[in-house]
Amino acid sequence: MELSATITSVLQAYGLNAPEYSIVRINSGHINHTYKIGTEYILQRINKNVFLHPEVLSKNLEAASVFLKQHAPEYLFLHTLKTTSGEDLTFDAEGYPWRLFPYIKNTVSINEVATAQQAYAAAQAFGQLSRQLQGCDVSKFEETIPKFHDLSIRYEQFERALLHASSERKQLANRLINKYQAFKYLVDKYVDLIQSGQLVLRIMHNDTKINNVLFEHGTDQVVCVIDLDTLMPGYFIYDLGDMIRTFVSPASEEETDVSKVRVRKDIYQAVLDGYLSEMGGMLSHEEKLAVPLAGSIMTYMIGLRFLTDFLNGDTYYQTSYPQQNWYRAANQLHLLELLESQV
C-alpha cells in the first residue's frame, strides 16, 4: 500500500478524513516516522523492528498518566488520542503500529542547542518529568527496548559485530575499533555503579535530545516533554548523560567534520544546573558522585552503537548515505575524548 493510502486508512481509524488536512513529514529522529496533520495532530508510525512490543509503550504511558493525574494534575503530560474503537494504537497492512497525538499549538521544537538558557530549560524539563514521577511504582513499567542503555550489553553486541563483520567494513573501521576498545574501562565503571547499588532505579525519559521538548514559540520556556517511547525504568545518568552528549557540542552527531565538535563549557554547566534544580533533592550523595561520569558513559555507548551498526551492515539506524554510521561513530569518539580530557 502506498504511503498516502496508508495514512488515509490510519486517519480513518481515528475518525479523521485525510483530504481535509495537510500532511507534512517531520524529518527528525532515527527510529520512527512522524507527520504533522494539519494544525491539530501529530501522527507517528512506530518502528516495529525497534519496538517489538508496541503495546508496552501504551501501557507505560497509561501508568505514568494515572500517577501524574493523582500526584501532579497540573503537569502537562502528552497523551495519545484514542481510535474510534477506543484503542491507543492502530495497525496498517504491513503490521506497523500508528498513534495520534494532539498538536500543541504555539510551540516549536529545535534540533540544536544555541544558548545556555535553552540548555537549562530543557534539562530542567527532563529533570522535572522524573521528579514528578518520583514515588510511582517502577514495577508497573516495562522496558520498551530491553537493556536499552545497558553499556555492558552494548559492548557485548559490539564484540559480536566484530566477529561477524565483513573484512571490508572491519578494515574501514580499524582505527575506530581500536580506539573504542581503549575506552572499555568505562564499561567497568558502569558495571561497578550498577552492581554496587550506587544508582537508584527510577522512571526516566531515556532519550533526552533537545528536540524532545517543546518550547513556547519565541521564548526559551519549555511547554512539555515529548517522545515518550522510552519512558521506562532507568538511571539518572542516562538522562543527564544523553543531554550532555547532545547539548554541549555546537555540531550534532551527524557532523562529518570532527574539528567542529567541541565542548561548550557554559552549555555543560547549564545542563547540570537545570537538571539538578529539579533532581538535586532526589539524588543520593552516592548518585551525585556519578555525575561527572554521565556524559562520557552515554557518549561512549551511543558511539559504540553507531560503530556496531556499521559493522553489522547498517541494519538499525536510518542512513541516507554510505558510511554514515562510521561518521557518526567517529563524531562521538571525538566528543568522548574531549569529555574525558576535562573530567
Side-chain angles (χ1 to χ4, degrees):
M1 185 182 292
E2 292 184 358
L3 180 61
S4 60
T6 297
I7 292 177
T8 296
S9 175
V10 168
L11 290 178
Q12 285 176 347
Y14 291 93
L16 302 176
N17 184 21
E20 296 179 6
Y21 300 92
S22 60
I23 300 174
V24 179
R25 171 80 184 271
I26 299 174
N27 292 310
S28 64
H30 295 306
I31 307 301
N32 298 323
H33 291 181
T34 305
Y35 304 86
K36 183 180 177 185
I37 309 299
T39 59
E40 298 178 53
Y41 306 103
I42 294 292
L43 181 67
Q44 191 171 66
R45 190 192 80 171
I46 298 170
N47 189 328
K48 65 178 181 179
N49 300 315
V50 175
F51 297 102
L52 302 180
H53 302 285
E55 67 280 357
V56 172
L57 278 66
S58 299
K59 176 175 176 281
N60 287 352
L61 287 181
E62 181 65 20
S65 178
V66 168
F67 181 85
L68 291 169
K69 283 178 180 177
Q70 288 182 322
H71 300 276
E74 74 291 345
Y75 180 76
L76 179 55
F77 186 74
L78 200 57
H79 308 274
T80 53
L81 300 174
K82 303 285 188 181
T83 66
T84 55
S85 60
E87 302 296 327
D88 291 310
L89 300 170
T90 187
F91 293 80
D92 64 22
E94 296 181 10
Y96 281 98
W98 293 73
R99 61 188 176 180
L100 192 70
F101 293 96
Y103 176 72
I104 308 298
K105 296 182 179 180
N106 197 37
T107 62
V108 295
S109 64
I110 60 176
N111 290 321
E112 297 175 1
V113 176
T115 67
Q117 289 82 2
Q118 290 174 346
Y120 183 98
Q124 185 178 44
F126 284 121
Q128 184 185 28
L129 174 62
S130 288
R131 181 179 63 78
Q132 296 285 18
L133 289 170
Q134 182 81 6
C136 68
D137 186 351
V138 176
S139 68
K140 291 183 177 180
F141 293 76
E142 297 180 44
E143 291 184 309
T144 58
I145 304 177
K147 306 297 183 183
F148 186 46
H149 288 328
D150 189 323
L151 181 54
S152 60
I153 296 295
R154 296 302 185 182
Y155 196 84
E156 290 174 7
Q157 292 171 341
F158 164 64
E159 291 183 312
R160 285 199 298 273
L162 275 176
L163 289 175
H164 301 291
S166 69
S167 57
E168 179 186 9
R169 293 214 171 209
K170 282 195 285 190
Q171 184 176 355
L172 282 169
N174 184 61
R175 182 186 68 87
L176 288 179
I177 291 167
N178 290 335
K179 290 207 167 191
Y180 271 97
Q181 287 173 328
F183 278 105
K184 185 178 181 293
Y185 66 86
L186 288 171
V187 180
D188 300 329
K189 289 185 177 182
Y190 169 82
V191 171
D192 183 62
L193 283 174
I194 305 304
Q195 292 185 349
S196 68
Q198 186 172 336
L199 304 182
V200 176
L201 197 66
R202 296 182 172 87
I203 300 304
M204 312 304 299
H205 184 281
N206 287 296
D207 188 16
T208 52
K209 297 180 182 67
I210 192 69
N211 57 15
N212 285 335
V213 296
L214 292 179
F215 287 91
E216 182 181 48
H217 190 272
T219 78
D220 287 333
Q221 298 297 312
V222 172
V223 175
C224 67
V225 173
I226 60 173
D227 199 354
L228 300 166
D229 296 341
T230 52
L231 187 74
M232 60 184 179
Y235 300 103
F236 90 91
I237 59 171
Y238 298 163
D239 280 13
L240 177 59
D242 209 30
M243 280 186 279
I244 291 170
R245 181 185 77 84
T246 57
F247 286 20
V248 299
S249 176
S252 77
E253 62 193 20
E254 300 297 340
E255 177 57 61
T256 59
D257 181 356
V258 298
S259 69
K260 296 179 181 179
V261 176
R262 60 187 178 87
V263 173
R264 295 176 289 181
K265 293 185 177 179
D266 62 327
I267 303 295
Y268 185 98
Q269 191 60 50
V271 170
L272 294 184
D273 292 345
Y275 188 73
L276 294 175
S277 72
E278 291 287 341
M279 285 294 289
M282 302 291 106
L283 301 178
S284 68
H285 171 72
E286 289 74 20
E287 286 180 296
K288 289 177 182 177
L289 294 176
V291 165
L293 283 170
S296 292
I297 284 174
M298 289 301 294
T299 303
Y300 182 54
M301 190 197 68
I302 298 298
L304 266 180
R305 291 179 63 192
F306 286 143
L307 182 53
T308 298
D309 199 30
F310 175 76
L311 293 170
N312 284 334
D314 305 318
T315 59
Y316 184 85
Y317 292 109
Q318 293 184 46
T319 57
S320 56
Y321 63 88
Q323 298 184 33
Q324 187 169 3
N325 277 319
W326 185 96
Y327 280 107
R328 288 165 172 164
N331 173 303
Q332 293 297 279
L333 174 65
H334 188 66
L335 178 58
L336 174 60
E337 291 171 335
L338 294 175
L339 289 170
E340 280 293 273
S341 69
Q342 71 173 22
V343 172

